[in-house]
């Protein structure tokens, strides 16, 4: 019985948290909180994100999720009733009025957890400091490569029609050499160029996933990637990590029980924890996948971003795979060089590349060619670019660690092997509620609950150290103030806080 | 009864023609025809394009579709039985053996008609001259714009993270000014940058189309675009063209009868006919759409490619729309400047752009930024680029007309207003069969039947005049030889022909 009540409470809480995710930075701008909440809910109903007939969370439930008083939610619901956006019927709660929603998608993934991450990219940072994305400016080498393309390549490129669904041949060759030199012999025909690692995941998901297919994923994982699988109608099964990578015992159980269509992992480096999967664990993961005949999709978007001086990435899982295993490797220049290039790739057996190429042609007929030509000149220099950029990366990481130890000594974390964020545990508090407080202090954080299909890790946060030092200092200052307030007053008192943006 | 038999025959024929489309250039390479056919069918079964348990067309039916003797098909089917790819059961025909297909997509659109167009882009031209794509090299101005980006823009761009799901602000402003200067006042917030017009169609389709939605399309239309709607599970309803655009009487009937989710038209310029929709017809189309409350998706990918000297494009449909009409405009630099840039856009009401932007973020987080920066510098020059390029375009068009009149005097066509292809009628012959003969003479053509959901226009061909003059001459020579052979022997005698490639 207690378990049932607990589960019910947890589900109520999840619904509130999901709605909070949908509303994003709803406290921005002037005016009383209740009216801003009503505006945000009305917008969601107008867009169809809240469906006609859908029941809104109970007032208390939404108040907890948004860290506001129940009176604020009551006021917002009253306002929405006055505006005819919702109706309230005895015993049936508050529901979105029928007939308001146009017969079209609002563009969001149903049940998705990455809505606010995508929305932040779409809207730009605004007055907030956003920790939703761990992205930084580009390497100076891009400008050199661009000069070379302008001087040497563009004439020949303009002589062609410019449609390359598989990718520019020069780039596919450079990528094949890159992998071959790093312990994974690769032929250009085993490479498909994509618009970033993200599109690579989309294409692979389209080929592998039927509706209601299961994907085994790490917990935590990255919501924007998980939403790619959700958009294909897949069910997600989380498996926890230990200090070496995905935990083999629950992994074996999940593979055996769910007959998944795909196993999705991030061995180099895991997002959000920054963990590099050990060599022994790499062998174990591909053995298990081969045993249960499950294809592995490895996402190494953070390859080349080791933190320790002189640390070297291990070769991809594909390099450890027994012949009977099927491993699809996704990588990118986005983190190692610059996200603006939007150049990533799939490395897989030829027949799989062929299938993905057809999906690529259907998606956009090919990635823009000039950025590909620039990438072709950058791939051979990725080693030196990574080494040079690691200096900055280490300094920012050290600064963030120092600031957090000073200002938020209760928070704990495991030191990442690479990547660009810190995965922080908040002792005894919900990160969802903390995220609402942080918003009102001008910082957008993505709570850990969004990084697991079942909402686990709800006392964790990801803090990227991609911002410049002065911004990092400001971030920690604002987080510390929000934390103090949460500790002092608890979430129920939060309406006393004022939005500072 | 006769009607029923006719319909049955037509359906058999369609199945054969669809399979022919799937097999592509199956006659290439050495060896007897029956073995090459067996190889091509085995490959299709291996990839899952032919499903396990699927019945192959009757021998006579496939022989007609492929313009080979029945003996060739019998030999191929025997070979496939010997290889265990198919099985034959009394009364149940020849079927692909069960259990051969891996549980994943082959990447093709089910029921699609653009498979061979996409596949040609994926594979490159090979030893054939392909008329599948009407694409040419890029304008020299691209190199100038690239120099300017390298000299002036790249530094500032590298200072940003480079993720712009809506598109680079400078490019969105340039596009808004472009439309505003051409009779369609546009704000940058009404613009979403996409990876070519093709991705623009994908995103709009994802927002508007639910499974089993109906899309009203022109007949003929362009299969690669129709496949975008098919991939969303839409049903397509064709409406014919007259000399001014889509025919208003059957259009009104289709809008009334089918309650479509979308009306898809190409007013500037229609592909494959090259027709520019007249001003009066533009008004009529948007009036009808508004009356029946159907959103209009207009695809002006060929804007800027007028054929007549000093001809000017009419403004998009959106400029003629009454306030209650919803018109989404798609355009691109692909045909006007260069396909390799892969820069297109959606121009639509702000709330629609917002929905599409979410799908764009989910698809690839944004189009590569350097190509966008180059595009931003090219959009203001599109007028002069179009005028300069029209000279070449007119010369090639005149050459193609002259060659066809000389060598294929039976073929007829309506002079296009713009674009880059000729829509040719073949008197009394199936273009599907002719396409098989043309293949064996080293020319790939897309038959008209692929350009209508019901297989209409099966005596038509699209011939692009994007190839250089010497290639155009070779194309017409090969087509003329294939035509002579078809007229002399008829399709049943075709096995006497030998592949020349």
């Amino acid at each position: 019985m207690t378990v049932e009540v607990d589960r019910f409470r947890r589900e109520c809480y999840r619904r509130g948290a999901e709605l909070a995710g949908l509303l994003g930075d709803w406290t921005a701008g002037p005016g009383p909180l209740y009216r801003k909440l009503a505006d945000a809910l009305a917008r969601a109903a107008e867009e169809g994100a809240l469906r006609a007939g859908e029941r809104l969370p109970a007032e208390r439930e939404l108040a907890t999720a948004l860290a506001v008083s129940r009176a604020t939610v009551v006021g917002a619901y009253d306002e929405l009733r006055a505006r005819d956006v919702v109706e309230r019927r005895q015993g049936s709660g508050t529901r979105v009025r029928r007939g308001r929603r146009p017969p079209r998608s609002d563009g969001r993934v149903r049940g998705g957890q990455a809505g606010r991450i995508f929305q932040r990219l779409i809207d730009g940072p605004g007055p907030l400091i956003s920790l939703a994305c761990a992205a930084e400016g580009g390497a100076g080498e891009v400008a050199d490569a661009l000069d070379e393309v302008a001087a040497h390549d563009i004439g020949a490129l303009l002589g062609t029609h410019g449609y390359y669904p598989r990718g520019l041949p020069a780039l596919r060759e450079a990528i094949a050499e890159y992998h071959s030199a790093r312990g994974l012999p690769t032929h250009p025909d085993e490479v498909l160029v994509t618009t970033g690692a993200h599109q690579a995941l989309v294409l692979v998901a389209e080929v592998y996933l039927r509706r209601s297919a299961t994907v085994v994923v790490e917990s935590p994982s990255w919501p924007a990637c998980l939403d790619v699988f959700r958009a294909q109608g897949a069910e997600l099964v989380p498996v926890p990590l230990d200090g070496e990578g995905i935990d083999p015992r629950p992994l074996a159980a999940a593979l055996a029980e769910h007959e998944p269509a795909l196993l999705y992992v991030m061995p180099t480096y895991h997002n959000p924890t920054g963990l590099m999967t050990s060599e022994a664990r790499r062998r174990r993961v591909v053995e298990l996948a081969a045993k249960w005949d499950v294809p592995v999709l490895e996402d190494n978007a953070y390859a080349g971003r080791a933190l320790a001086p002189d640390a070297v990435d291990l070769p991809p899982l594909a390099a450890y795979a027994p012949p009977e295993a099927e491993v699809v490797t996704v990588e990118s220049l986005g983190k190692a060089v610059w996200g603006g290039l939007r150049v990533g790739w799939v490395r897989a057996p030829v027949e799989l590349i062929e299938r993905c190429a057809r999906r690529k042609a259907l998606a956009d007929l090919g990635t823009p060619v000039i950025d590909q030509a620039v990438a072709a000149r950058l791939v051979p220099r990725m080693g030196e670019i990574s080494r040079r950029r690691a200096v900055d990366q280490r300094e920012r990481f050290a600064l963030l660690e120092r600031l957090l130890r000073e200002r938020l000594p209760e928070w704990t974390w495991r030191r990442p092997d690479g990547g660009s964020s810190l995965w922080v545990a908040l002792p005894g508090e919900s990160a969802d509620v903390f995220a609402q407080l942080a918003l009102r202090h001008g910082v957008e954080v993505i709570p850990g609950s969004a990084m697991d299909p079942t909402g686990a890790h709800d006392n964790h946060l990801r803090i990227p150290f991609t911002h410049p030092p002065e911004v990092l200092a400001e971030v920690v200052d604002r987080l510390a103030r929000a934390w103090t307030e949460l500790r002092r007053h608890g979430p129920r008192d939060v309406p006393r806080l004022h939005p500072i943006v």
Side-chain angles (χ1 to χ4, degrees), chain A:
Chain A
M1 186 63 192
T2 323
V3 172
E4 275 307 295
V5 170
D6 258 21
R7 216 177 104 191
F8 177 73
R9 269 202 200 124
R10 189 174 180 86
E11 265 165 27
C12 287
Y13 171 73
R14 287 293 310 146
R15 279 207 58 212
E18 266 166 37
L19 188 52
L22 192 69
L23 299 182
D25 182 21
W26 65 274
T27 59
L33 274 179
Y34 84 90
R35 194 175 299 147
K36 288 191 282 192
L37 179 55
D39 288 344
L41 289 166
R43 215 161 33 238
E46 183 61 39
E47 284 181 346
L50 290 172
R51 276 178 277 196
E54 188 169 342
R55 187 179 175 155
L56 294 183
E59 287 145 356
R60 192 175 303 279
E61 186 188 319
L62 187 57
T64 308
L66 295 178
V68 295
S69 75
R70 187 161 168 269
T72 298
V73 179
V74 169
Y77 282 12
D78 282 347
E79 171 95 12
L80 289 172
R81 256 203 312 280
R83 289 196 219 163
D84 237 18
V85 175
V86 302
E87 56 192 346
R88 175 160 205 153
R89 285 210 210 116
Q90 208 56 36
S92 154
T94 300
R95 291 180 185 271
V96 179
R97 283 183 73 86
R98 302 208 164 268
R100 295 187 64 85
R101 189 183 172 223
R104 59 191 68 156
S105 159
D106 69 340
R108 293 187 176 93
V109 178
R110 286 268 162 243
Q113 288 289 339
R116 69 192 117 185
I117 299 170
F118 292 137
Q119 199 68 45
R120 181 55 55 209
L121 285 177
I122 291 168
D123 294 342
L128 290 166
I129 302 177
S130 177
L131 306 184
C133 307
E136 55 202 305
E141 287 85 349
V142 174
D144 306 334
L146 181 60
D147 284 339
E148 293 164 21
V149 169
H152 305 300
D153 304 341
I154 190 66
L157 291 172
L158 286 172
T160 75
H161 59 43
Y163 296 87
Y164 298 94
R166 283 180 193 279
L168 208 57
L171 176 55
R172 288 165 57 214
E173 280 160 30
I175 292 166
E177 277 169 34
Y178 162 90
H179 276 308
S180 299
R182 283 164 176 76
L184 179 61
T186 301
H187 187 275
D189 288 348
E190 294 172 311
V191 175
L192 175 80
V193 176
T194 57
T195 301
H198 190 83
Q199 189 189 43
L201 299 182
V202 171
L203 301 175
V204 173
E206 287 177 344
V207 167
Y208 276 101
L209 302 183
R210 297 262 171 275
R211 198 145 282 277
S212 305
T214 298
V215 181
V216 171
V217 303
E218 293 161 310
S219 170
S221 186
W222 187 238
C225 306
L226 299 185
D227 271 14
V228 167
F229 306 130
R230 289 188 179 106
Q232 291 298 314
E235 309 283 337
L236 306 182
V237 172
V239 169
L241 302 169
D242 63 16
E244 288 195 66
I246 193 166
D247 192 340
R249 203 123 42 129
L251 172 61
L255 297 178
E257 184 182 346
H258 295 282
E259 296 183 39
L262 216 47
L263 164 63
Y264 173 67
V265 289
M266 291 181 274
T268 315
Y269 295 85
H270 180 265
N271 184 10
T273 65
L275 187 72
M276 179 165 77
T277 299
S278 72
E279 193 145 29
R281 185 61 53 81
R282 284 171 193 251
R283 283 186 217 285
R284 188 78 188 112
V285 169
V286 289
E287 272 169 23
L288 282 172
K291 179 180 170 192
W292 295 102
D293 200 19
V294 175
V296 183
L297 170 55
E298 63 168 329
D299 174 353
N300 297 329
Y302 280 93
R305 303 309 310 260
L307 256 178
D310 306 318
V312 178
D313 302 348
L314 288 173
L317 288 187
Y320 300 89
E324 69 276 19
E326 182 163 275
V327 182
V328 178
T329 304
V330 162
E331 207 162 305
S332 162
L333 296 185
K335 305 299 180 185
V337 181
W338 187 37
L341 289 172
R342 312 294 313 109
V343 170
W345 62 87
V346 182
R347 188 268 180 203
V350 173
E351 67 96 23
L352 208 278
I353 291 294
E354 180 75 8
R355 290 159 196 260
C356 291
R358 293 191 188 121
R359 295 303 309 190
K360 173 68 175 164
L362 183 67
D364 59 20
L365 306 178
T367 292
V369 162
I370 296 176
D371 284 89
Q372 287 195 65
V374 172
R377 289 183 169 271
L378 288 165
V379 169
R381 302 174 209 172
M382 275 174 76
E384 64 192 88
I385 295 173
S386 288
R387 276 189 296 279
R388 189 182 58 67
R389 298 188 97 197
V391 179
D392 245 21
Q393 184 191 6
R394 275 195 297 276
E395 275 175 16
R396 288 177 188 184
F397 166 66
L399 173 65
L400 179 62
E401 273 205 318
R402 185 168 60 72
L403 290 166
L404 286 175
R405 276 200 204 103
E406 281 170 22
R407 300 291 310 277
L408 289 150
E410 298 168 89
W411 291 12
T412 57
W413 58 87
R414 180 195 172 281
R415 180 175 275 244
D417 302 312
S420 44
S421 13
L422 209 56
W423 178 239
V424 174
L426 276 51
E429 298 288 354
S430 153
D432 294 277
V433 172
F434 177 72
Q436 289 293 322
L437 294 195
L439 258 189
R440 276 168 262 172
H441 282 89
V443 185
E444 178 178 57
V445 295
I446 303 298
S449 63
M451 306 188 191
D452 177 284
T454 63
H457 294 99
D458 53 1
N459 65 336
H460 280 73
L461 285 183
R462 185 184 87 143
I463 310 181
F465 42 88
T466 44
H467 285 291
E470 63 282 9
V471 179
L472 279 181
E474 181 64 29
V475 163
V476 175
D477 183 58
R478 293 184 186 189
L479 293 179
R481 283 189 282 134
W483 180 251
T484 306
E485 231 135 6
L486 180 65
R487 285 303 217 187
R488 190 179 305 149
H489 305 290
R492 293 298 153 88
D493 290 304
V494 169
R496 274 187 260 160
L497 292 175
H498 299 291
I500 66 153
V501 289

